[in-house]
Amino acid sequence: MKSETWTIQQVFQDRRQYKVPFYQRAYVWTLEKQWQLLWSDIEDKAAERLSGITPAPHFLGAIVVEPQERMGLKGVDTLHIIDGQQRLTTLQYVLAGIRLATRELGNKDAESFLVGVLDNPNLDTMAIPDVEVFKVWPTFSDQKDFVAAMTAEKLDDLRARYPEHFTQAGNFRKIGILHPGALNAIWSFAEWSKKWIQDNGGAPAVEALVLAVLKDLKVVLIQLEKGDDAQVIFETLNGRGAELHATDLIRNHLFMTVDQQTEDPAKLYEEKWKQFEQTIWKIGERRGRITKPRLEWLIFSAIRAETGQEGDLGRLYVDFKDYAKAGNKPKSASEQLDTLDTYGQHYLELIQGKGDLPIARFGRRLLAYDTTTTHPLALRISTAKIDPSEKTAMFNTIVSYVVRRAVCNLTPKNYNNWFMSILRQLSKSVLSHQVLKELMGASKTEASRWPDDAEFTNAILTGDMYPSRLDAGRCRMLLTELEGWLRTQKRTEEPQIPDLSNLDIDHILPQSWFEHWPLPDGRTATRAQSSAAYILELGGGALDDHQMAIRKRSKMIPTLGNLTLLNLSVNREAQNKAFPVKKKLLIENTNLSLNVNLLGMGSWDEEAISQRGKILAEAATQLYPR
């Protein structure tokens, strides 16, 4: 490779184009993080020139380019940017901004200098003049706005081309709108240039500003030669830092290692990778304390699903390369992209809970339980070549395991190790529902056992379900699924379960029962008496009949038999009122199967809670079979 220190004028003065390969990421530099800092450096150099001081060079780091062979007479020299596209693109925006500012101020002294570093000459000798006229050519997603902003002859052209980004008075909108990077950068540099020139004496300031950019800013330009490995150099420059996401490195790895003899990189990008550039894959997903773009979690989960091996998200790029090289024959770029394409379709349905695949319903059912540790196993099942009914049965088994353990108040802390162990064992055996059931039911330890019907039923009848063992989301999902199950067991005008996510969880016998809900023997109690009975029981003291009745009620209130779903406004109106009032509101406002039996009840007490609990426990053991 050749390495030289060049001024920005040297970088842009020749008839050449620096082209961002299509597989690299889009332009991401912003006003707060990069532009303001760069402009401050430029102002410092310009100020030194105005003061008669010869400025020391300001280095912007290394730019790595790979010259491309020109196939015919027409065209400009093209160099692919291996590293440094953000800096080169920004420098073009700086120069374009200065040009617009000087035109706005009526100063033409620097026009010829700026044209030479912004536009390639001799359009009639170019193969594609509309493209080759630019000194830098961005990746696909940036091209439209790049051309629209860079070809503006004056600031009013930007206002005309992007009217929604300006106020009626023609000012650049600062709040409530996301500007294209090209527009935002060029407008910002133009405004800063105008102000600096006006504040520093006009014509002399123009020359100082232009020279500060063209002469005082320098880069180390590294040109690769035949035989140099662009991928290794890219990794050396980027793989050890935090500048790029792991997925940026993976994308570059994929397309830099394409076999040009058998694979078409442009076609692979369009058909397989371009989908992952969409916003839906850039959304941050949180798992525990870590938030990463959705695409990183997809690749992380896909590698786990394929290999059965645990991994470190911080080593995702290395993990992906190791996966690609594993086996008797390294996987081609096409094969790797096919894998990501397949897993991507299944992953979206899993995390969104929407779609036609069995994994969509699985994701919807477990969304509230935050069990992303099941994702690699779920993806392995979903992408397997087995019957959809078999996949559904396997997903139902995993849901049963998670829900039963949550209801029985068993910890999820070992789930990552447990589900990865199940995945590894399944990978060595037949991928089937029967084998999965046997593996899931094999453990007898507290950390991973699958509760049987007796334990599950007892937890439903006696466990402090809400708001203790289950949070609002999990309890609502459990009640929603029970509602769906109950509808399938009888004739109903609405057999399909509606969306109940907007309903409130209600304790039928309220938590604050003291005013309107006497005990079964007719006596009442106060909150103070309830607290005293709790403290006495906790200390092992003997309770009298009244205290025992209070404690029995306190323990029955949070059980599943006393929980239902109500419209928020109904719940607020009913609150702690007596059962006849609540029953009247139910008759007027509910059609849930969960509430049908309540409508015929004359009273609601501990015995009624117990009987309803048994009905729901029987439904739950069938809904979540062991």
Side-chain angles (χ1 to χ4, degrees):
M1 67 182 71
K2 293 190 298 184
S3 174
E4 298 177 282
T5 299
W6 279 13
T7 65
I8 301 308
Q9 184 172 16
Q10 289 173 303
V11 171
F12 290 129
Q13 69 185 358
D14 292 334
R15 192 171 179 268
R16 53 165 53 177
Q17 183 178 80
Y18 298 93
K19 189 173 183 179
V20 182
F22 60 82
Y23 50 79
Q24 287 203 20
R25 65 174 176 171
Y27 184 75
V28 295
W29 276 20
T30 62
L31 186 146
E32 294 82 7
K33 292 183 178 180
Q34 288 93 12
W35 303 339
Q36 286 179 331
L37 295 173
L38 175 60
W39 184 251
S40 177
D41 294 332
I42 293 171
E43 283 186 331
D44 289 344
K45 297 303 171 187
E48 289 177 10
R49 284 187 170 274
L50 272 183
S51 302
I53 300 172
T54 302
H58 180 80
F59 281 93
L60 298 176
I63 304 290
V64 183
V65 295
E66 185 178 34
Q68 303 298 300
E69 184 179 355
R70 187 153 31 132
M71 303 308 293
L73 285 175
K74 285 195 169 186
V76 299
D77 291 335
T78 303
L79 302 96
H80 279 182
I81 306 172
I82 305 304
D83 189 65
Q85 66 135 318
Q86 304 292 327
R87 278 163 289 168
L88 287 176
T89 306
T90 303
L91 287 165
Q92 283 291 290
Y93 292 156
V94 170
L95 293 166
I98 293 174
R99 179 161 65 177
L100 290 178
T102 56
R103 287 174 177 175
E104 189 84 357
L105 295 171
N107 186 303
K108 299 181 179 180
D109 295 344
E111 184 77 20
S112 59
F113 294 99
L114 293 171
V115 167
V117 291
L118 280 168
D119 306 323
N120 284 320
N122 304 324
L123 298 183
D124 57 332
T125 63
M126 294 179 183
I128 313 174
D130 289 345
V131 172
E132 294 175 35
V133 68
F134 297 103
K135 296 289 185 177
V136 171
W137 187 243
T139 193
F140 287 144
S141 58
D142 290 333
Q143 288 170 7
K144 181 180 177 181
D145 287 312
F146 180 86
V147 171
M150 288 291 292
T151 57
E153 295 288 331
K154 52 186 182 297
L155 291 177
D156 279 344
D157 289 345
L158 293 178
R159 293 187 178 98
R161 292 172 187 181
Y162 294 94
E164 67 276 17
H165 294 268
F166 294 85
T167 66
Q168 288 185 344
N171 298 317
F172 203 52
R173 292 187 184 275
K174 300 291 179 67
I175 300 173
I177 191 167
L178 183 64
H179 302 294
L183 169 66
N184 199 356
I186 290 174
W187 185 270
S188 297
F189 288 123
E191 288 292 292
W192 294 335
S193 298
K194 254 173 63 179
K195 184 177 187 309
W196 196 86
I197 292 168
Q198 289 171 326
D199 291 347
N200 289 276
V206 171
E207 181 176 351
L209 191 59
V210 172
L211 289 174
V213 177
L214 296 182
K215 297 287 190 180
D216 300 332
L217 301 185
K218 292 188 176 183
V219 297
V220 176
L221 191 82
I222 302 172
Q223 293 194 55
L224 304 190
E225 297 178 302
K226 191 172 183 180
D228 289 335
D229 191 326
Q231 172 62 15
V232 171
I233 293 166
F234 182 86
E235 291 176 22
T236 302
L237 292 167
N238 293 285
R240 296 180 179 88
E243 183 183 356
L244 301 177
H245 288 302
T247 48
D248 294 314
L249 295 169
I250 289 169
R251 178 188 57 227
N252 282 276
H253 165 75
L254 279 167
F255 287 97
M256 284 183 174
T257 55
V258 163
D259 183 349
Q260 298 282 352
Q261 301 295 321
T262 60
E263 300 173 310
D264 181 347
K267 184 177 180 182
L268 285 176
Y269 178 86
E270 281 293 323
E271 295 181 356
K272 299 297 182 181
W273 182 267
K274 191 175 181 181
Q275 61 182 313
F276 297 122
E277 304 285 354
Q278 296 175 9
T279 304
I280 194 169
W281 290 107
K282 297 176 183 177
I283 296 170
E285 285 185 9
R286 183 180 178 87
R287 298 189 187 181
R289 294 187 297 271
I290 302 174
T291 300
K292 291 287 185 180
R294 180 174 287 165
L295 181 56
E296 289 198 24
W297 288 119
L298 161 65
I299 296 174
F300 179 80
S301 300
I303 296 173
R304 310 281 80 78
E306 285 284 293
T307 65
Q309 302 300 314
E310 295 183 25
D312 178 359
L313 190 65
R315 287 174 47 85
L316 182 61
Y317 176 49
V318 176
D319 271 2
F320 185 83
K321 291 203 300 180
D322 289 345
Y323 159 70
K325 291 186 293 186
N328 298 326
K329 180 184 176 184
K331 299 170 185 64
S332 67
S334 297
E335 290 170 332
Q336 296 171 62
L337 285 164
D338 283 343
T339 298
L340 291 182
D341 180 44
T342 298
Y343 276 100
Q345 298 170 37
H346 292 258
Y347 185 80
L348 278 183
E349 292 204 12
L350 168 64
I351 54 125
Q352 293 179 331
K354 299 175 183 178
D356 299 325
L357 299 174
I359 199 172
R361 179 169 179 265
F362 170 79
R364 187 165 61 250
R365 296 180 75 190
L366 283 189
L367 181 63
Y369 291 87
D370 193 25
T371 49
T372 54
T373 47
T374 66
H375 285 183
L377 175 58
L379 288 169
R380 183 61 177 266
I381 294 169
S382 189
T383 56
K385 291 179 170 58
I386 57 178
D387 194 83
S389 62
E390 188 79 356
K391 294 178 183 179
T392 298
M394 296 175 81
F395 288 141
N396 289 344
T397 288
I398 300 172
V399 171
S400 168
Y401 177 90
V402 171
V403 173
R404 284 183 175 234
R405 285 186 60 86
V407 168
C408 294
N409 207 29
L410 296 172
T411 180
K413 288 183 179 179
N414 191 48
Y415 280 3
N416 186 54
N417 293 331
W418 173 249
F419 286 115
M420 287 306 299
S421 172
I422 295 294
L423 174 57
R424 282 192 294 272
Q425 294 177 76
L426 270 179
S427 300
K428 298 173 184 176
S429 181
V430 178
L431 195 67
S432 71
H433 181 222
Q434 183 60 38
V435 173
L436 179 63
K437 280 197 301 182
E438 292 170 1
L439 292 173
M440 298 282 282
S443 176
K444 305 300 179 187
T445 67
E446 286 295 294
S448 54
R449 65 183 177 82
W450 187 6
D452 60 21
D453 285 356
E455 183 180 3
F456 189 44
T457 298
N458 183 63
I460 289 174
L461 293 176
T462 64
D464 51 345
M465 208 60 57
Y466 177 76
S468 181
R469 298 186 181 189
L470 302 181
D471 62 19
R474 296 175 186 185
C475 188
R476 185 180 292 107
M477 191 63 203
L478 176 59
L479 290 169
T480 297
E481 292 218 301
L482 285 169
E483 170 68 20
W485 176 262
L486 293 172
R487 290 186 183 209
T488 65
Q489 305 306 300
K490 63 179 183 178
R491 295 178 181 178
T492 174
E493 295 173 350
E494 291 185 88
Q496 296 300 318
I497 184 168
D499 179 12
L500 306 181
S501 60
N502 62 335
L503 297 186
D504 254 14
I505 300 166
D506 177 58
H507 294 85
I508 304 168
L509 200 164
Q511 293 172 294
S512 297
W513 52 273
F514 310 104
E515 183 178 355
H516 299 294
W517 295 73
L519 294 165
D521 62 6
R523 287 185 289 179
T524 59
T526 64
R527 188 179 298 276
Q529 288 174 318
S530 178
S531 298
Y534 169 73
I535 294 170
L536 186 61
E537 183 182 60
L538 195 65
L543 304 180
D544 59 29
D545 290 345
H546 187 229
Q547 290 170 325
M548 284 193 287
I550 292 173
R551 289 304 301 140
K552 181 179 180 181
R553 170 161 290 185
S554 296
K555 292 174 183 177
M556 293 296 288
I557 285 173
T559 63
L560 191 62
N562 189 48
L563 301 175
T564 192
L565 294 171
L566 286 179
N567 181 277
L568 175 61
S569 61
V570 176
N571 194 18
R572 286 180 175 174
E573 186 175 351
Q575 283 204 333
N576 304 322
K577 294 184 175 67
F579 182 68
V581 176
K582 181 168 285 191
K583 177 181 172 181
K584 182 176 182 295
L585 288 169
L586 283 172
I587 292 172
E588 294 172 352
N589 295 283
T590 187
N591 63 352
L592 296 184
S593 296
L594 279 170
N595 298 331
V596 167
N597 290 343
L598 301 177
L599 306 182
M601 303 289 291
S603 62
W604 190 256
D605 56 17
E606 289 78 352
E607 180 58 30
I609 292 172
S610 179
Q611 291 303 314
R612 184 169 178 267
K614 290 175 182 178
I615 294 171
L616 295 181
E618 183 179 353
T621 55
Q622 297 177 67
L623 177 60
Y624 307 106
R626 167 73 165 81

